[in-house]
Amino acid sequence: MTETTVDTVKAATPHNTKGDLFTSFNVEDFAIPGGRDEVWRFISLRRLRGLHNGTFAEVVEAKIKVEGPEGVKVEQVTPDDDRLKAAGGPVDRVAAQAWTSAKSGTIVTIPADTVLREPVTITITGAGAGVTTFGTILIEAKTHAEATVLVNYEGTGTHADNVNWVIGDGARVHAVVDTNWDSDAVHLGSQQITVGRDATLRHTVAAFGGEVVRITPRVGFSAPGGDVELTGVYFADAGQYIENRLLVDHSVPNCRSNVLYKGALQGDRSSDKPDARTCWVGDVLIRANAQGTDTYETNRNLVLTDGARADAVPNLEIETGEIAGAGHAATVGRFDDDQIFYLRSRGIPEQEATRLIIRGFFNEVLNMIPVESVRDELIARVSGELENAHL
């Protein structure tokens, strides 16, 4: 009698859409990615310091600090606490590595029927060169809670994390994720987001710092009436790679989503660093039972100097025609010459006119941020980038 041997193929669960990807909290369930894999094809795996294949440096405890008004509950839990998994599991090896290797977890709970007048601030500080940190954070807004949550990254190091969100029924949350790393940091961040019935989420990513930064929000609706806006701004200089890869999965009726990301990038011919590069991949899925969906996604990129490169990949998958509306747009280019001409005709020098246009380009997103101090800080950061621009 001959025995049949079956070799398990890891992470190979068949799926029909990008909303049905294999998920697991165990890194061993994922094969080591290669440069031709769809979700890794834009990024240089050599620059990830082993986060993708397990060859990373010594792991130390992540430095996570949570500050918030009275009533916010903060818990430090063991990484195997099932509550951390409420928003879903990782869909790639690095996110699963963060689950497997995190030394602890953080749960931030905003109680039901609570309206917070001051923001909750979560600060993740890099542990420095030569070590690696992993983080697991769950932010949960209970039924009819209202809050602004700021997630700030600072310092340097090699870091991967899962920052997940559960937005309860009728809750309203403004989230700002600011990757203000030093120039030599590497950060890969996964965000699983679940939005409840009649809940509202405004989620903004600001990516200016770091050597390699990759943020991957994935939004799902658990009941009708959800309303989500995903916005982002990013600015890459020579030596920087910034990737925003997101999914909005409309699986229930009568939900709304809007995506607006804007980026700029510039090179420096005198630098020996790699050319500035950005990548934006926006996936929107409307499933067969998601009647009444209203969605649109937009990505705009300004390439300020020769040598810099921006990739923009919008994807819209529709399985039902019974929707309110759907569309997408993406552009990569330089300034509008007509705008430059108009400002110069009013006596404004060309370089100053260019800076004014770029500030206005970003302000459409930045003006949506509800916290004035954060909004002003990011506007100042754009101005700082422009002061050093090689236009």
Side-chain angles (χ1 to χ4, degrees), residues 128-144:
V131 295
T132 306
T133 53
F134 296 100
T136 303
I137 301 172
L138 175 72
I139 300 110
E140 182 172 9
K142 296 288 189 178
T143 303
H144 297 299

Side-chain angles (χ1 to χ4, degrees), residues 10-11 22-33 90-94 96-97:
K10 297 177 180 179
F22 173 86
T23 66
S24 174
F25 296 94
N26 183 0
V27 66
E28 298 302 327
D29 289 336
F30 291 89
I32 294 173
V91 298
D92 66 60
R93 182 180 172 89
V94 175
Q97 184 74 69

Side-chain angles (χ1 to χ4, degrees), residues 46 86 103 131 133-134 179 245 356 358:
R46 294 189 301 271
K103 294 181 177 295
V131 295
T133 53
F134 296 100
T179 62
R245 178 180 288 266
L356 287 172
I358 298 170

Side-chain angles (χ1 to χ4, degrees), residues 166-169 193-197 199 220-224 226 249 251-252 255:
V166 176
I167 314 300
D169 292 350
I193 304 168
T194 299
V195 179
R197 182 181 298 275
F221 298 89
S222 62
D249 185 351
S251 58
V252 296
C255 292

